């Protein structure tokens, strides 16, 4: 089994808390490199992998023949630039979401992927969690009849962190780009369908959205969502059909927000609750990525999939705006 040697561009806090440990733990992967000029920032990564090669620039890491694939956790507005540079340097790419700022930017990424023959995709980790595979199967086999409505909520409050990149409009901040990719994209992930209509009502601060209420229409079902960076921490997804419902307790940050749990309630029959203890969706994402590189196995989330969700984000960001909190 060929081990995939990963390099990370930038010592972000998320890379340290989630993805570096996931790469280290994943079968078939090795945390091989980190690009940062800061010895202090490199130190905790070296605590995870003592043999880690530390590079003093992103370009130096991309030039190394010790690196097979690059994980990119940079601020949103830098994702396309460094994904394209990594592909040009002959590296496979796993880039944080949203991988681009607008849907049409995915066209350049897709073209570069196809021309290079390398793998490039967005780190949409929920696509690899078994709870979402189960929800797709339940919807497909008619466990709740015909799907009629989906509701998704994802909120947290970072008003006390003005320096955070999510509160920086010039760096691709705002709630829609940060968590709307989950609240909106999950409907596409679960059903395989695309919306025919979408409208949104946004509350803005300094040119980035802090609260967004979204209404959309998919073939056969309606969709409503709320995402916010100014409300108490909460997440929930529900699917309402003609003969039952499915609810998800921790649909996005499974294991961190709460234990992943699906409740299936068919009309007139006993409720079923299915739990997923100790599942690390970041490890599963890296292992799936490595299987695709080694064996050509199908991957659960392609650039085309990510482009479709970005089109929803673009439509939401064009919605009706209220200035001020």
């Amino acid at each position: 089994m060929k081990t995939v040697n990963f390099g990370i561009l930038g010592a972000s806090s998320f890379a340290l808390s989630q993805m570096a440990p996931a790469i280290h733990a994943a079968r078939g992967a090795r945390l091989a490199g980190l690009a940062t000029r800061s010895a202090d920032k490199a130190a905790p990564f070296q605590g995870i992998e003592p043999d880690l090669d530390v590079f003093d620039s992103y370009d130096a890491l991309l030039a190394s023949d010790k690196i097979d694939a690059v994980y990119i956790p940079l601020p949103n507005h830098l994702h396309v630039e460094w994904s394209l540079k990594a592909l040009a340097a002959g590296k496979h790419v796993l880039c944080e979401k949203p991988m681009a700022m607008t849907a049409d930017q995915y066209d350049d990424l897709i073209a570069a992927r196809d021309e290079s023959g390398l793998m490039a995709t967005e780190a949409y980790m929920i696509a690899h969690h078994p709870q979402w595979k189960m929800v797709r199967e339940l919807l497909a086999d008619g466990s709740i009849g015909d799907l009629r409505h989906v509701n998704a909520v994802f909120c947290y409050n970072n008003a006390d962190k003005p320096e955070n990149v999510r509160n920086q409009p010039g760096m691709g901040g705002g709630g829609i780009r940060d968590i709307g990719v989950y609240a909106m994209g999950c409907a596409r992930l679960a059903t395989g369908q695309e919306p025919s209509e979408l409208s949104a009502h946004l509350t803005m601060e300094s040119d980035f959205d802090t609260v967004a209420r979204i209404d959309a229409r998919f073939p056969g079902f309606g969709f409503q969502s709320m995402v916010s960076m100014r409300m108490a921490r909460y997440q929930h997804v529900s699917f309402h059909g003609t003969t039952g419902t499915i609810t998800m307790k921790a649909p996005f940050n499974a294991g961190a927000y709460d234990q992943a749990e699906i409740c299936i309630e068919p009309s007139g029959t006993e409720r079923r609750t299915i739990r997923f203890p100790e599942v690390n969706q970041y490890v599963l994402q890296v292992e799936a990525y490595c299987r695709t590189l080694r064996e050509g196995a199908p991957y659960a989330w392609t650039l085309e999939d990510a482009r479709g969700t970005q089109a929803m984000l673009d439509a939401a960001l064009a919605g009706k705006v209220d200035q001020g909190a």
Side-chain angles (χ1 to χ4, degrees), residues 13 48 53 76 88 97 128 153 190 231 268 286 298 303 312 319 322:
S13 59
I48 297 170
D53 287 326
N76 294 339
K97 54 76 199 163
H128 307 280
V153 179
M231 299 173 69
V286 174
L303 289 181
M312 289 187 73
D322 287 338

Side-chain angles (χ1 to χ4, degrees), residues 41-310:
K41 289 184 177 180
F45 288 87
Q46 291 170 313
I48 297 170
E49 175 48 73
D51 294 330
L52 186 72
D53 287 326
V54 179
F55 301 85
D56 63 4
S57 72
Y58 301 160
D59 287 317
L61 185 147
L62 295 183
S64 173
D65 59 7
K66 297 180 180 179
I67 303 298
D68 303 314
V70 175
Y71 168 65
I72 302 176
L74 300 172
N76 294 339
H77 70 298
L78 298 176
H79 287 174
V80 171
E81 174 188 354
W82 284 99
S83 292
L84 292 174
K85 286 181 177 180
L87 289 169
K91 309 303 183 187
H92 302 286
V93 173
L94 179 62
C95 180
E96 267 309 319
K97 54 76 199 163
M99 196 170 177
M101 296 287 283
T102 59
D104 59 2
Q105 290 183 334
Y106 278 96
D107 297 336
D108 290 338
L109 293 167
I110 290 168
R113 176 202 64 188
D114 292 348
E115 181 178 353
S116 67
L118 298 164
M119 183 175 178
T121 193
E122 183 179 72
Y124 196 57
M125 75 290 187
I126 69 170
H128 307 280
H129 197 291
Q131 68 173 336
W132 282 102
K133 180 177 185 292
M134 179 169 288
V135 167
R136 289 197 300 271
E137 292 171 349
L138 289 167
L139 294 174
D141 68 16
S143 294
I144 59 169
D146 297 326
L147 182 62
R148 291 290 181 255
H149 188 75
V150 178
N151 184 267
V153 179
F154 197 176
C155 301
Y156 63 87
N157 192 337
N158 71 348
D160 62 340
K161 297 178 176 64
E163 75 288 349
N164 189 279
V165 294
R166 296 163 184 82
N167 289 316
Q168 302 293 326
M171 301 177 78
I176 286 177
R177 286 196 173 101
D178 185 40
I179 52 179
V181 66
Y182 299 118
M184 284 184 262
C186 72
R188 298 179 58 254
L189 174 66
T191 67
Q193 297 188 24
E194 303 293 340
S196 56
E197 303 172 19
L198 188 145
S199 62
H201 197 289
L202 313 181
T203 300
M204 308 290 288
E205 292 178 18
S206 303
D207 298 325
F208 61 90
D209 64 286
T210 56
V211 182
R213 296 172 177 84
I214 299 102
D215 285 279
R217 186 73 203 171
F218 286 75
F221 69 92
F223 172 83
Q224 289 183 319
S225 179
M226 182 177 70
V227 299
S228 176
M229 302 194 306
R230 297 294 184 265
M231 299 173 69
R233 186 168 173 255
Y234 180 69
Q235 55 186 258
H236 177 91
V237 176
S238 64
F239 301 86
H240 202 142
T242 54
T243 63
T245 61
I246 299 168
T247 58
M248 304 179 74
K249 183 179 180 181
F252 309 125
N253 296 129
Y257 172 74
D258 205 341
Q259 179 178 265
E261 182 176 298
I262 299 173
C263 181
I264 306 130
E265 298 186 75
S267 300
T269 60
E270 187 175 348
R271 172 191 301 183
R272 288 190 294 145
T273 299
I274 301 168
R275 298 178 177 87
F276 300 83
E278 300 179 5
V279 173
N280 187 316
Q281 58 192 347
Y282 299 105
V283 172
L284 294 180
Q285 174 179 244
V286 174
E287 290 181 344
Y289 190 92
C290 293
R291 281 196 301 274
T292 298
L293 290 186
R294 289 195 312 271
E295 307 163 15
Y299 194 73
W301 194 252
T302 65
L303 289 181
E304 288 80 3
D305 293 322
R307 191 191 194 285
T309 294
Q310 186 64 52

